[in-house]
Amino acid sequence: MLTKTMKMHKVEILIKDNKWKKELSDIESLFYSYFHTIFQTIEKFKQKKLEISILLTNTREMKILNKKFRKKNKDTDVLSFPNYPKSFFSQKKIPNDIFLGDLAISYNYIKKKKLNFAKYIEKIFVHGCLHLVGYKHDNMKEYNEMSKIEKKIL
């Protein structure tokens, strides 16, 4: 398990497929940098101590997780497992120290897209983190709201 902790944030990474290490150098700094940027962009999280865990895996394990938690027997790029319901982040006073939850990311799904690997990782990581803090895209209004914040961060 890789862990990167700096002033305000802690990012724990479990790599279950070695292809990740071949594709990206200094994985923990990369994800920490993304994480820091995301939560410095959203005003209510700027002064919070935030923590996340990330599973970097492959198609086989991602299909298992997707089937178990979303009842979909297929690979996907990112799965988010929030530690809190959306209403938690609507409170006036959010605690200063928050474990946001877990993300699982599939190497194979991303690689088969034939896009810039690092850029795609950045995009889905932002997307996954926004799900951890209550953003959804179940309807057009939610989609537009989430899309707007994603673009601002990216």
Side-chain angles (χ1 to χ4, degrees):
M1 173 139 352
L2 304 171
T3 302
K4 180 91 174 180
T5 305
M6 295 186 72
K7 290 181 187 175
M8 300 290 286
H9 304 128
K10 182 176 181 183
V11 177
E12 291 189 347
I13 302 170
L14 178 60
I15 301 172
K16 295 286 284 269
D17 190 315
N18 286 326
K19 292 177 193 142
W20 282 98
K21 292 178 187 174
K22 293 175 186 169
E23 191 74 41
L24 299 170
S25 61
D26 199 9
I27 291 172
E28 62 272 16
S29 290
L30 179 73
F31 280 103
Y32 180 85
S33 172
Y34 293 162
F35 191 69
H36 181 74
T37 299
I38 293 165
F39 291 103
Q40 288 303 303
T41 304
I42 304 172
E43 189 63 38
K44 67 181 164 185
F45 293 107
K46 279 189 177 180
Q47 299 302 316
K48 306 296 182 190
K49 289 182 181 179
L50 305 173
E51 184 177 345
I52 187 176
S53 68
I54 306 165
L55 171 66
L56 299 177
T57 191
N58 54 39
T59 293
R60 186 178 76 36
E61 192 162 15
M62 203 64 154
K63 280 177 78 173
I64 292 167
L65 291 170
N66 206 10
K67 185 172 184 178
K68 181 176 181 177
F69 294 102
R70 296 181 62 225
K71 310 294 185 246
K72 296 182 179 187
N73 189 24
K74 63 180 186 172
D75 194 10
T76 189
D77 51 7
V78 63
L79 290 173
S80 302
F81 302 96
N83 196 38
Y84 298 99
K86 182 178 182 173
S87 60
F88 176 84
F89 298 104
S90 302
Q91 302 176 80
K92 283 194 183 248
K93 182 94 170 104
I94 299 171
N96 286 328
D97 199 350
I98 307 168
F99 175 71
L100 296 176
D102 307 304
L103 294 180
I105 304 174
S106 172
Y107 175 88
N108 307 89
Y109 189 94
I110 295 160
K111 194 66 178 170
K112 76 179 178 187
K113 290 292 184 180
K114 307 268 190 243
L115 301 169
N116 178 301
F117 193 84
K119 280 288 185 198
Y120 193 83
I121 290 291
E122 183 179 25
K123 182 181 180 339
I124 63 149
F125 184 68
V126 168
H127 187 86
C129 284
L130 290 176
H131 278 309
L132 294 180
V133 295
Y135 286 91
K136 296 184 179 199
H137 46 80
D138 295 335
N139 59 52
M140 214 46 196
K141 182 181 177 199
E142 290 176 346
Y143 173 83
N144 289 334
E145 181 183 353
M146 189 169 178
S147 183
K148 183 179 176 181
I149 190 88
E150 281 178 350
K151 287 176 184 167
K152 181 180 177 183
I153 292 166
L154 293 169

